[in-house]
Amino acid sequence: MKNQTKVKVQRKKYIRVPQTEKMKLKYLFSIAALILFISSCENDTKPLNKDQSINGVVAGHDAHSYSNTDEIRTKHLDLELDVDFEKKTIYGIARHQMERLKDTDTAIFDINGPEIQKVTLGKKGQEKETDFIIGTMQEFIGQPLSIKIDKNTEYINIYYKTTENAGALDWMEPELTEGKKHPYLYTQGQAILTRTWIPVQGTPANRITYSADVTVPVELLALMSASNPQVKNPEGKYHFEMKQPIPVYLIALAVGNLEYKSLGKNCGVYTEPEMIDKAVWEFEDLPKMIRAAENLYGPYQWEQYDVIVLPYSFPFGGMENPRLTFANPTLIAGDRSAVSVIAHELAHSWSGNLVTNASWNDFWLNEGFTVYFENRIMEELYGKEVADMLSLIEFQELQTEMAQLDQEDTHLKLKLSKRNPDDGMTSVAYVKGAFLLKTLERDFGRQRFDAFLKRYFKDHAFQTLTTEQFKTYLEKNLINKTDIKFNVDEWLYKPGLPKNCYAVSSPRFEKIQALAREFANGKDIFKKPAKKKGKKQLPALSRDQYVPQEWQAFIRALPKKMDPERLAIVDEKLHFNNWGNAEVATEWYVLAINSNYTEIRPDIEKFISKVGRRKFLLPIYTALNDNPQSKQWGLEIYKKYRNNYHPVSIATMDDLLDYKP
């Protein structure tokens, strides 16, 4: 996932239940059976009520899952889903094929919202109802669904429907889509939201294959993170297969009025018809990216790589759902200036999807590797100068965010027990992780380090990994093969950035930053330069003389507050106020808010009424909230457009603004 931005909030704690508590479940099932027997006589298959529920056991290997995958685990999931837009409900059956690892009479799943209607054991058509208990709700992780099984249980079938508490689902009215005629639905599973729409064993340590049969309105196309159709089915029925094992947070669904166009032999783009031509042009280099990635670190192992451009409410820049990257339409900047996000999501096909963090404490293994890999792809396609500018932008963001975080949260290896795993999705995991790899590359040499990474992806393909396992592998296969000393523990387990951190520089950034300082000091930087004798007349400063990343550096080099009249001059000459590049626009809007440049408010409102990407919403609403002259206006704007955003963005903004609807 690209471009997470976090806000620090106070959260409630939950109580970890001792592992020994799990042993008590078998004694409680006799009570549950009696209650379920009585309720079945009344044709009511509802689970135990709140007073009768019990606490589950948080899995010892993962503080964010109750599942007992060390005893019995899902190895294949077959879904039957009926998508009802009128009721904003998915009616589902989750058929889990299990692998028993130890003797147990209980299989525990994670849920956080689905209404469980009944549970059966056995193959489809040969099912027998069984007892189940839903445990006490705990913040962030939801509830344990404990199911009674017998020694021969191989199939567990969970009948359920989603509720309004499904935080993964974004049901969109037609007016919020590009075409304005059809509704739209998409999911966002990372980190632990898949359990809000599918009962699963929710730890990333367990990889599964899955299949699905999905029914949707006939005028819409359904897609998943699996093998996908390219045209609509006249009956609205679709079958999907994901034959490579993946963690459940990568199960994804999108349903809308969609069109597909190929970009190459194994890649293409889906989006609404109104955006398809723009998307095809913007992502034209995708086949080159795939070739560059394969040349670096080995074959792409997912057969097809497609991108779906979702509606603007999607809370992230991209999400690496295998075979089908979910992308925010802010990537369609009109000048291909935001395609590094696509390079990032493609890189996840190796780091994150192929080799996955075993828990959310190890999240940097997903994102640090991916940011490094993304930068190598960008260097291969567009040159080192561009890649270095992209790295500098991210490094500046890392330095800013680290200054606001608790010291412990600047470690690569995190401690997220009793916390929302989203708290670990900061630039530390992304950029500090990437700069660890950049530092290793510098110290051990690119050729040797590339060989190490290529072998790393091959040796751990379709596996999960902890930070400690990575450290052992790194020392054995790279560090200990040389006489070079490297401070691995400091990078992994200590706060901040070590002194040996790789330093990236950019002469082009230095030039544009000098220009910003001149403007801040009152110089007319837009005046046409005087013509020198015998030389060609140089043009006046214009926006197309620099790339968007340079203009980001320009804005960041300006004072945090400026005379609004000076900012109006920039808008008159460079039109930052309505640029298609959302990265530059966001930087500009924040400076404008801090400077009380109120003439730009209509442009800000237009932007945040449409864009739901959390990376952009958070700094804008933060600036509005922190400025007494704009705080009330910001709150009114938020209330006006709040329902345009995904639940992920809504939760962050509600916390930031202390808003309670």
Side-chain angles (χ1 to χ4, degrees):
M1 179 162 48
K2 181 66 171 177
N3 295 329
Q4 288 276 16
T5 309
K6 293 301 299 172
V7 59
K8 189 172 179 61
V9 295
Q10 295 296 318
R11 302 186 185 276
K12 298 177 182 177
K13 296 182 177 180
Y14 63 77
I15 300 172
R16 177 186 287 272
V17 181
Q19 284 283 352
T20 53
E21 188 71 17
K22 183 167 57 180
M23 301 302 296
K24 299 177 183 178
L25 284 173
K26 60 183 179 181
Y27 301 111
L28 292 167
F29 272 116
S30 59
I31 300 173
L34 176 61
I35 295 171
L36 287 170
F37 172 76
I38 295 171
S39 62
S40 65
C41 293
E42 300 171 350
N43 295 317
D44 185 357
T45 58
K46 292 182 179 179
L48 308 183
N49 63 39
K50 184 176 180 181
D51 293 334
Q52 296 164 323
S53 66
I54 63 168
N55 287 319
V57 180
V58 178
H61 61 281
D62 187 343
H64 300 102
S65 175
Y66 297 103
S67 59
N68 57 337
T69 52
D70 58 329
E71 297 177 332
I72 186 168
R73 59 173 287 271
T74 302
K75 66 177 183 180
H76 180 80
L77 172 62
D78 183 46
L79 294 167
E80 297 175 21
L81 305 175
D82 189 348
V83 180
D84 188 331
F85 277 91
E86 184 176 343
K87 295 181 179 179
K88 294 185 178 179
T89 300
I90 296 176
Y91 298 89
I93 307 172
R95 301 186 184 277
H96 293 264
Q97 184 179 3
M98 310 302 292
E99 178 184 14
R100 190 185 297 267
L101 304 174
K102 296 179 182 177
D103 185 29
T104 181
D105 62 0
T106 306
I108 306 176
F109 295 82
D110 297 297
I111 58 172
N112 192 4
E115 180 182 314
I116 307 302
Q117 298 168 318
K118 69 175 181 179
V119 180
T120 67
L121 306 180
K123 287 186 176 182
K124 184 176 181 179
Q126 303 173 23
E127 302 169 46
K128 181 179 179 181
E129 283 200 45
T130 190
D131 303 334
F132 65 94
I133 299 173
I134 296 177
T136 302
M137 173 68 72
Q138 295 186 21
E139 192 175 19
F140 313 130
I141 63 173
Q143 298 168 282
L145 171 62
S146 302
I147 297 171
K148 185 178 181 180
I149 60 175
D150 57 43
K151 62 181 181 180
N152 298 316
T153 297
E154 184 180 1
Y155 295 93
I156 300 174
N157 312 292
I158 305 171
Y159 291 70
Y160 71 98
K161 67 177 183 178
T162 62
T163 68
E164 61 183 8
N165 297 319
L169 304 182
D170 195 4
W171 298 93
M172 303 191 65
E173 298 296 336
E175 57 266 25
L176 294 178
T177 68
E178 203 69 15
K180 313 297 183 187
K181 294 180 180 179
H182 300 284
Y184 204 112
L185 168 68
Y186 66 86
T187 66
Q188 170 56 36
Q190 196 180 45
I192 55 173
L193 293 179
T194 299
R195 67 189 66 176
T196 71
W197 73 287
I198 306 172
V200 291
Q201 293 183 308
T203 173
N206 188 44
R207 302 179 72 103
I208 69 170
T209 56
Y210 83 90
S211 54
D213 289 287
V214 182
T215 302
V216 302
V218 294
E219 65 273 16
L220 304 180
L221 177 67
L223 303 171
M224 294 193 77
S225 51
S227 56
N228 276 305
Q230 296 179 358
V231 295
K232 294 175 183 175
N233 180 291
E235 296 180 346
K237 296 182 182 295
Y238 299 92
H239 180 74
F240 302 92
E241 295 278 351
M242 170 49 74
K243 296 182 179 180
Q244 294 93 337
I246 61 172
V248 296
Y249 72 83
L250 292 175
I251 299 174
L253 171 69
V255 183
N257 181 33
L258 298 166
E259 185 177 330
Y260 179 80
K261 282 197 176 181
S262 174
L263 294 172
K265 66 177 183 179
N266 68 332
C267 62
V269 61
Y270 295 89
T271 190
E272 293 181 72
E274 294 79 7
M275 297 177 67
I276 191 69
D277 291 336
K278 291 180 180 179
V280 167
W281 184 88
E282 202 81 24
F283 304 144
E284 183 181 55
D285 285 343
L286 183 55
K288 296 178 184 178
M289 288 184 179
I290 295 173
R291 288 196 295 272
E294 290 186 314
N295 288 339
L296 283 167
Y297 300 127
Y300 177 77
Q301 299 202 40
W302 306 88
E303 289 98 34
Q304 185 76 12
Y305 183 82
D306 292 322
V307 176
I308 176 173
V309 181
L310 297 174
Y312 278 93
S313 68
F314 184 53
F316 306 117
M319 179 63 208
E320 63 271 18
N321 301 311
R323 298 180 65 110
L324 186 67
T325 281
F326 281 20
N328 192 291
T330 56
L331 304 189
I332 304 178
D335 57 6
R336 297 181 180 142
S337 60
V339 295
S340 64
V341 175
I342 297 300
H344 180 96
E345 304 309 333
L346 171 63
H348 267 305
S349 301
W350 286 260
S351 50
N353 295 2
L354 191 64
V355 185
T356 307
N357 51 232
S359 78
W360 300 110
N361 292 332
D362 308 295
F363 183 59
W364 80 273
L365 288 172
N366 277 21
E367 296 298 347
F369 275 76
T370 300
V371 171
Y372 173 83
F373 195 171
E374 163 204 340
N375 197 250
R376 292 292 303 277
I377 294 172
M378 296 301 289
E379 178 182 331
E380 186 73 17
L381 265 62
Y382 307 112
K384 190 174 188 303
E385 198 173 42
V386 169
D388 283 348
M389 286 192 289
L390 291 167
S391 285
L392 264 178
I393 288 289
E394 292 179 324
F395 192 75
Q396 290 172 352
E397 292 168 355
L398 170 66
Q399 290 176 308
T400 299
E401 188 167 15
M402 286 181 72
Q404 301 169 353
L405 293 171
D406 292 341
Q407 286 285 289
E408 196 168 81
D409 285 344
T410 67
H411 299 189
L412 286 179
K413 176 72 174 191
L414 295 172
K415 296 179 180 179
L416 295 172
S417 178
K418 304 180 183 179
R419 297 174 64 187
N420 189 329
D422 282 5
D423 289 349
M425 294 181 178
T426 70
S427 55
V428 173
Y430 288 73
V431 185
K432 181 180 177 181
F435 271 76
L436 163 58
L437 302 186
K438 284 179 176 289
T439 305
L440 286 166
E441 178 201 314
R442 179 199 65 198
D443 289 2
F444 292 88
R446 174 169 283 193
Q447 184 176 359
R448 179 182 290 158
F449 189 61
D450 277 352
F452 164 78
L453 281 185
K454 193 169 185 177
R455 181 178 174 184
Y456 166 80
F457 290 127
K458 181 179 180 181
D459 288 351
H460 299 96
F462 302 107
Q463 296 177 26
T464 59
L465 211 65
T466 65
T467 298
E468 289 67 36
Q469 289 170 320
F470 168 74
K471 177 190 170 186
T472 299
Y473 186 86
L474 174 68
E475 290 174 338
K476 178 181 178 181
N477 293 282
L478 183 66
I479 296 175
N480 293 346
K481 290 189 173 183
T482 72
D483 295 328
I484 300 170
K485 303 293 184 183
F486 196 86
N487 52 334
V488 183
D489 284 353
E490 183 181 1
W491 274 95
L492 298 178
Y493 305 116
K494 299 295 182 181
L497 288 167
K499 291 181 179 180
N500 67 328
C501 180
Y502 174 80
V504 61
S505 61
S506 169
R508 287 172 61 172
F509 267 24
E510 293 168 7
K511 179 181 177 182
I512 197 78
Q513 288 165 342
L515 188 67
R517 289 191 292 270
E518 290 177 354
F519 178 73
N521 291 330
K523 182 178 179 179
D524 182 4
I525 61 174
F526 299 104
K527 184 179 180 180
K528 184 180 291 188
K531 186 177 184 303
K532 294 182 180 180
K533 188 176 181 179
K535 300 287 185 179
K536 185 178 179 181
Q537 173 68 59
L538 295 175
L541 179 65
S542 62
R543 199 172 74 185
D544 59 5
Q545 291 173 9
Y546 296 93
V547 299
Q549 289 75 24
E550 289 171 293
W551 286 121
Q552 279 184 271
F554 174 86
I555 297 169
R556 290 179 180 183
L558 293 172
K560 300 303 180 187
K561 292 183 180 180
M562 288 194 66
D563 182 347
E565 292 184 4
R566 297 287 287 165
L567 299 186
I569 292 172
V570 175
D571 267 342
E572 179 186 349
K573 301 294 185 179
L574 301 178
H575 307 290
F576 285 165
N577 58 319
N578 55 16
W579 195 353
N581 186 290
E583 300 276 359
V584 176
T586 299
E587 303 266 4
W588 186 243
Y589 293 151
V590 169
L591 177 59
I593 293 165
N594 293 340
S595 303
N596 293 315
Y597 174 31
T598 56
E599 288 82 357
I600 204 174
R601 280 187 177 182
D603 297 302
I604 296 174
E605 180 174 354
K606 181 180 179 182
F607 183 83
I608 59 180
S609 71
K610 186 175 185 178
V611 173
R613 188 171 165 186
R614 188 169 64 175
K615 180 186 182 183
F616 302 142
L617 293 179
L618 184 55
I620 292 173
Y621 279 118
T622 298
L624 289 169
N625 193 54
D626 289 346
N627 185 339
Q629 295 189 38
S630 62
K631 183 171 184 174
Q632 186 58 38
W633 181 75
L635 183 59
E636 292 303 317
I637 290 298
Y638 177 64
K639 289 191 288 187
K640 185 176 179 180
Y641 299 115
R642 180 177 180 271
N643 289 336
N644 292 9
Y645 306 145
H646 185 277
V648 168
S649 293
I650 289 174
T652 299
M653 302 313 137
D654 282 354
D655 282 335
L656 170 70
L657 303 174
D658 195 25
Y659 178 72
K660 297 177 177 60

